[in-house]
Amino acid sequence: MVSEMTPTRRVLAAVLGGRVDYVPPANPLAQTTTELMQICNASWPKAHFDSKMMADLAAAPYEVCGIEAARPQFDISLEAEVLGCKLDWNKPDRPPVTGPAYTDSSDITWPDKLEEAGRIPVVLGAIEELRKRYDGMLPIIPGLTSPFTVAGHIAGVENIARWTKTDPEKAHAFIEAATDFVIAYGKLQTIYGAHIIFLADPSASGDLISAETYREFILPSHKRIAKEISCPQILHICGNTSKLLPYIKQSGIDCFSFDAVPVWYCRKVMGNDMSILGSLDVIDLMPNGTPEQVYNRTRECILQGADIVGTSCGVSYGTSLENLRAYVRACKETPIPKCDDVEDLVRQIGVGIGRNMKENVLGGVQE
């Protein structure tokens, strides 16, 4: 056990593989619940356009529930918007892209002064506000949409997916251009005070692409981000990423935030090569479960080897404050298991349900 740590030191240590006094409840997924928005007087769409409101809402999970992270930028469409896409602002929550903006990657442009483009200054202003308000004590983990998802937004998700098979040079060109843009924006977030960058790549889900597609088209962009953005990074990919894990751990990114993969299995594949963040269900458990169920599931994640406990995706409007607090309480009250104990547990679970995993989750592939 080490001495008491600040939330920033704790989550940085967890992401980078260091010692912590308890597993941090540092959820970097969106947590814009109805109750939290009411408490801090935030509203849509204003929270996307007002730096102070964005900072207030990003800090609300910590101020109200003790969740040890602040995540400014609530949507994954900002990058595409700056690159020329239109958004549907009639949606009640996060605005989706209405359609692609380019058919040729050579036409992709963005303003020279990126810090003044679109809503980027709002996010940078929120990061600055949070940095001043907490004096570095609370980790600021802004969202940054990852290149494959951005390429899908500006060229069309179906087009990018099809081009990986029919016109790989065109797919590579779009992803490369998106990577250049994402790195430029990520560097700005770092300059303005981000402690960790949270890369969201939902279009790279194992439910949508093969492991071979990830390895050829997406892994190079993730490697570039890991190399060229100086602050630590967490990569989040939705869905079942079981088959992608062996390649994801080659990315050089510090931590992987996962969705529909058992914690023990992610721990087993990643070993000590990459920290893992997971994975409380947001479809049923968080909005509909009892605080006791949330507490027990959080404890289970820790015992199976999660370095940080967070949700598997953004929490829904209806998730109660009691359930968010139960998750925090479980992190603080669950002793950190010894490495040998985690390995024994992973081995026992693996023996018990390994066959079922191969047949039902991995599709029969070899682990």
Side-chain angles (χ1 to χ4, degrees):
M1 182 73 72
V2 296
S3 59
E4 184 175 346
M5 309 172 83
T6 66
T8 298
R9 183 180 175 190
R10 184 175 297 109
V11 71
L12 283 171
V15 166
L16 298 174
R19 294 188 304 163
V20 293
D21 47 1
Y22 56 81
V23 171
N27 190 25
L29 281 298
Q31 301 158 94
T32 53
T33 71
T34 300
E35 287 179 290
L36 288 174
M37 293 187 72
Q38 289 173 344
I39 289 171
C40 66
N41 294 317
S43 61
W44 303 125
K46 189 176 179 181
H48 294 290
F49 294 94
D50 183 310
S51 288
K52 183 181 180 302
M53 184 177 289
M54 181 177 285
D56 290 345
L57 186 53
Y62 172 71
E63 293 290 349
V64 179
C65 302
I67 295 172
E68 297 178 354
R71 181 258 172 84
Q73 183 170 329
F74 309 118
D75 67 299
I76 60 170
S77 304
L78 178 150
E79 292 81 358
E81 184 183 33
V82 173
L83 290 172
C85 288
K86 303 295 183 185
L87 308 187
D88 181 0
W89 286 103
N90 292 318
K91 297 292 182 182
D93 185 359
R94 293 174 273 273
V97 173
T98 60
Y102 298 97
T103 57
D104 190 324
S105 62
S106 64
D107 295 329
I108 300 172
T109 59
W110 56 84
D112 291 334
K113 292 186 177 180
L114 197 56
E115 64 270 32
E116 299 177 1
R119 290 181 287 128
I120 285 178
V122 177
V123 177
L124 299 180
I127 293 173
E128 273 193 317
E129 169 69 22
L130 289 163
R131 194 77 185 211
K132 292 176 183 174
R133 189 181 300 179
Y134 293 99
D135 195 24
M137 182 275 293
L138 184 65
I140 304 165
I141 313 178
L144 178 66
T145 311
S146 201
F148 188 67
T149 296
V150 173
H153 284 161
I154 64 176
V157 176
E158 292 181 358
N159 290 333
I160 284 289
R162 186 175 68 254
W163 293 336
T164 62
K165 304 297 183 185
T166 62
D167 195 344
E169 287 188 7
K170 191 169 187 176
H172 277 299
F174 266 96
I175 296 168
E176 185 70 14
T179 304
D180 291 340
F181 174 82
V182 168
I183 288 174
Y185 180 29
K187 287 181 176 178
L188 274 178
Q189 292 182 333
T190 302
I191 291 169
Y192 275 73
H195 292 98
I196 300 167
I197 299 294
F198 184 74
L199 289 159
D201 211 349
S203 295
S205 169
D207 296 324
L208 301 175
I209 64 167
S210 67
E212 290 71 26
T213 297
Y214 176 83
R215 176 177 56 80
E216 178 180 348
F217 292 91
I218 304 172
L219 180 58
S221 69
H222 288 167
K223 284 184 173 180
R224 275 194 60 197
I225 290 170
K227 183 178 180 180
E228 297 183 33
I229 297 179
S230 60
C231 78
Q233 297 139 27
I234 300 170
L235 170 65
H236 177 82
I237 300 180
C238 300
N240 184 353
T241 50
S242 298
K243 297 177 183 176
L244 278 54
L245 293 178
Y247 299 114
I248 290 171
K249 77 174 183 179
Q250 298 174 21
S251 66
I253 291 173
D254 304 286
C255 180
F256 181 55
S257 165
F258 53 95
D259 178 7
V261 182
V263 176
W264 70 268
Y265 185 76
C266 193
R267 178 80 282 159
K268 179 183 177 182
V269 175
M270 293 307 190
N272 293 321
D273 293 331
M274 199 171 189
S275 297
I276 61 173
L277 190 159
S279 176
L280 301 174
D281 167 60
V282 296
I283 304 300
D284 189 29
L285 175 68
M286 294 306 287
N288 302 320
T290 65
E292 182 180 13
Q293 289 171 323
V294 173
Y295 184 100
N296 290 337
R297 173 56 185 159
T298 302
R299 179 178 168 81
E300 190 176 78
C301 291
I302 294 170
L303 295 180
Q304 291 185 18
D307 297 293
I308 306 166
V309 180
T311 52
S312 58
C313 199
V315 299
S316 63
Y317 286 141
T319 299
S320 69
L321 299 182
E322 287 74 19
N323 280 359
L324 295 175
R325 288 170 175 146
Y327 140 64
V328 173
R329 193 169 65 254
C331 284
K332 294 184 176 180
E333 294 178 353
T334 303
I336 299 172
K338 297 178 181 177
C339 292
D340 288 346
D341 292 341
V342 172
E343 290 179 3
D344 285 345
L345 181 63
V346 167
R347 193 159 37 244
Q348 291 170 22
I349 296 173
V351 170
I353 64 174
R355 180 173 298 173
N356 183 58
M357 275 286 295
K358 287 184 179 179
E359 293 176 353
N360 298 329
V361 179
L362 303 178
V365 300
Q366 295 296 316
E367 297 175 33

